[in-house]
Amino acid sequence: MDIVVCVKRVPFTQEVDLEIDRSKRFVATESLAHVINDWDSYAVEEAILLKEKLGGEVTAVTVGSEDDEEVLRRALAMGADRAVRIESGGMPMDGTVVAGILASVIRNIPCDLVLTGVQADDDNQAVVGVTLAELLGLSHAAVVRGIEVSGADIVARIELEGGVDEIRRLRLPALLTIQTGINEPRYVSVMGIRKASKKELKVIDVKELGLSQNDLVPPTEIEEIYLPADTGGAEMLKGDPSVVAEAVIDIMRRKGVAL
Amino acid sequence: MTGDILVFVEQRAGSVREVSYQLLSKANQICAELSVRLTAVFIGPKASFLSSDFYKKADRVLVLEDERFGDFNCEIARDVMVGIIKEQRPAMVLVGHTPWGMDLAPAIAAKTGLPLSTDCVDIKIEAGKVKAVRQLYGGKLFARVVFKDESKGCIFTVRPGSFSVEGYPDRMGEIVPIEAPKDLPEPSSRFVEYVDTGAGEVDITQAELLVSIGRGVGEKERIEEIQELARILGGVVSCSRPVVDKGWLPKYHQVGTSGKSVKPKVYLALGISGAFQHVAGIAGAGTVIAVNKDKKAPIFRVADYGVADDLFAFSDAIKKALKK
Ligand SMILES: Cc1cc2nc3c(=O)[nH]c(=O)nc-3n(C[C@H](O)[C@H](O)[C@H](O)COP(=O)(O)OP(=O)(O)OC[C@H]3O[C@@H](n4cnc5c(N)ncnc54)[C@H](O)[C@@H]3O)c2cc1C
Ligand SMILES: Nc1ncnc2c1ncn2[C@@H]1O[C@H](COP(=O)(O)O)[C@@H](O)[C@H]1O
């Protein structure tokens, strides 16, 4: 079973004051720490688990800059066999453009299964996976939290709302967008990542892909990014922890909690 | 903009999903603004269709009743929607941002070439231009999204819970049976069954006080400290999704769209950022108190009271205060 898994590097934004630039269309993220998109680390682990069970090879792919190779090396350290980075040259992209770029590369990688994350932690779009499937003509399922391969089919457990799952049988080749919790992504050490640097990491320039200008112009554009309004939020309880604790206990009692 | 507003109605096991009513109400407002028609698309058994009243919310409901399609099949839904879009050229297409919607909407967009904006919390029309409002970074920022070319129509997935279903007039929709496209290929995927992930030992939906743990707790070993806090307060422990994903607590503790909806008198959120999939589960909570060391965490926008502090410092202080 040969598998391609798409991974994205995303900024870590907790406890940071995100800075909107003067054009009001971009956020400065260069100085932030970056991590592998949470959903993608589950997708990589799932690919490796399937490979360990069924044999085959795993290729990790990202569209991004040289810094983004960090997530490919992590995937290699987890057990992927090779990696491909498509150099995007910093051009503006949306989910449709990224899917188009990925499709033109993955089309040339023989595989039975393509995995992506459900969504990326930065843009929260949930667009790239299914769009890519359609461009490649693969059957697809979104928000998958269980996989079983059965002959020429794959049986996916799709997470619906409210604790209900749908079991769906898809013909291979297929693309699944992977939900967190499907497995336990393995730990990789710095040492492991260093060792994995011996594995193949191919870089392709987006200009070599023969995509038309039309494919590279994003159909959606951010007109403005803004901070949520300050009004209407929580009443913040301030002061010494003991003062805050008393206030919270008092609120609970007033709201009818028996303490 | 002259085409209809087209709404995909989501139906599961015979009943119309709440999110579809929300879409219809938003579509209703847009239709009034643009003086265009509201057309809903329903794929499924007629019985379930007639037992609900959503058809009153549209000018027209295109109903595809076919026993083969009683359960959601993304490829069928895609092909039916693509057929309707090509023939009728709607100005906008609205789909719920649900697991099925996430499967369907990008597929329709890819097949029609129409632009797509997902997980929208609002859709506006300003000076004849369509604008979608959505969030970035788990709700830390908002973005207004525009389309390069919307002249052929555009597609949105709309976040559940973004629009109220109250306060718009009935339209007494005309019911128009439609046929499946003739050349419909055999789908490459098929529905097998629904599985209930089941109840657990603890029922968080009945608790009066929930002490809810998020990823901010950091490691499994420290969950015990919060469980102790819950015991002292006489509350029940619940949690956000990552806590379950990591295997720190069983699934039946999870609050949110893919977990449970809860309605405690007080919901104490410790180290939870406030993603919409989580917050959707606490709409019924009386009072929400959030503790997060990031004073910009989105949870503070939905909480009634907030504490910008380390959750363990907070927990220790409560324990100490109650010992007195
Ligand atoms: C289809 C789908 C369904 C989903 N369903 C659900 C669902 O049902 N329920 C759900 O919860 N999520 C769900 N999610 C996931 C959701 O999008 C978020 O990823 C998740 O809710 C984040 O959980 P969290 O707030 O605990 O973690 P994070 O977003 O990582 O937030 C952790 C927070 O803890 C704070 N923190 C860190 N350390 C401390 C400390 N020492 N003291 C105080 N604060 C601290 C941080 O500042 C941060 O705000 C779903 C996602 C998808 C795509
Ligand atoms: N630049 C990228 N390179 C590779 N894969 C990506 C990229 N952006 C998104 N993806 C994949 O698509 C999934 C969904 O992302 P999105 O549609 O942007 O929310 C992610 O979890 C990744 O698997």
Side-chain angles (χ1 to χ4, degrees), chain B residues 63-311:
Chain B
V63 183
L64 175 61
E65 189 195 14
D66 189 319
E67 60 188 28
R68 291 175 297 167
F69 316 144
D71 296 297
F72 178 75
N73 181 296
C74 189
E75 286 163 70
I76 303 285
R78 175 199 66 196
D79 291 346
V80 168
M81 288 297 282
V82 169
I84 295 170
I85 290 168
K86 284 197 172 147
E87 198 186 285
Q88 314 205 355
R89 306 198 170 279
M92 296 183 199
V93 180
L94 269 50
V95 178
H97 193 71
T98 61
W100 284 343
M102 289 184 223
D103 211 2
L104 176 62
I108 300 173
K111 278 273 185 290
T112 56
L114 295 180
L116 166 71
S117 181
T118 54
D119 195 13
C120 303
V121 295
D122 203 0
I123 300 166
K124 297 179 180 178
I125 296 145
E126 284 172 19
K129 182 108 185 114
V130 181
K131 301 184 177 179
V133 179
R134 59 190 312 282
Q135 298 182 341
L136 301 174
Y137 303 104
K140 283 200 132 186
L141 294 177
F142 281 73
R144 212 165 41 241
V145 175
V146 290
F147 300 117
K148 226 184 122 273
D149 175 14
E150 67 210 36
S151 61
K152 295 189 182 66
C154 45
I155 307 174
F156 303 87
T157 69
V158 175
R159 175 179 293 188
S162 300
F163 302 106
S164 143
V165 297
E166 306 297 325
Y168 61 96
D170 280 355
R171 288 175 173 254
M172 291 317 274
E174 175 197 357
I175 295 164
V176 184
I178 57 168
E179 303 267 314
K182 273 187 204 61
D183 45 359
L184 213 57
E186 184 66 21
S188 67
S189 68
R190 65 180 172 81
F191 171 84
V192 179
E193 61 175 333
Y194 293 118
V195 190
D196 210 315
T197 55
E201 289 158 33
V202 186
D203 185 0
I204 60 171
T205 64
Q206 298 305 316
E208 298 219 318
L209 169 66
L210 283 173
V211 178
S212 207
I213 305 173
R215 185 168 11 214
V217 76
E219 48 188 336
K220 186 174 186 180
E221 287 63 36
R222 301 204 71 179
I223 286 200
E224 173 52 31
E225 291 175 47
I226 308 304
Q227 285 169 323
E228 191 195 339
L229 174 70
R231 269 195 301 278
I232 295 172
L233 288 169
V236 172
V237 169
S238 61
C239 65
S240 69
R241 175 170 190 122
V243 173
V244 174
D245 288 343
K246 290 173 187 293
W248 295 349
L249 284 174
K251 176 94 181 165
Y252 51 79
H253 288 280
Q254 186 189 316
V255 172
T257 53
S258 56
K260 298 225 164 71
S261 290
V262 295
K263 45 176 180 17
K265 284 181 179 155
V266 173
Y267 187 79
L268 187 57
L270 306 175
I272 294 175
S273 64
F276 98 86
Q277 293 98 342
H278 185 81
V279 170
I282 58 173
T287 299
V288 176
I289 306 172
V291 183
N292 195 306
K293 64 178 180 180
D294 182 355
K295 62 181 191 304
K296 295 273 171 71
I299 188 85
F300 289 134
R301 294 209 304 275
V302 293
D304 300 287
Y305 299 94
V307 180
D309 195 6
D310 175 67
L311 69 92

Side-chain angles (χ1 to χ4, degrees), chain A residues 15 17 125 140 161-162 180, chain B residues 12 103 118 245 257 294 296:
Chain A
E15 288 184 81
D17 280 332
Q125 284 192 102
H140 52 84
E161 303 90 340
T180 55
Chain B
R12 187 192 303 165
D103 211 2
T118 54
D245 288 343
T257 53
D294 182 355
K296 295 273 171 71

Side-chain angles (χ1 to χ4, degrees), chain A residues 5-9 37 39-40 43 61-64 93 95 98 102 115-129 177-178:
Chain A
V5 56
C6 303
V7 291
K8 184 181 188 186
R9 179 171 167 267
N37 179 34
W39 280 269
D40 299 352
V61 185
T62 198
V63 181
M93 299 186 287
V98 171
L102 285 168
L115 301 181
T116 71
V118 167
Q119 64 177 33
D121 232 340
D122 48 0
D123 58 26
N124 307 144
Q125 284 192 102
V127 162
V128 172
T177 82
I178 299 297

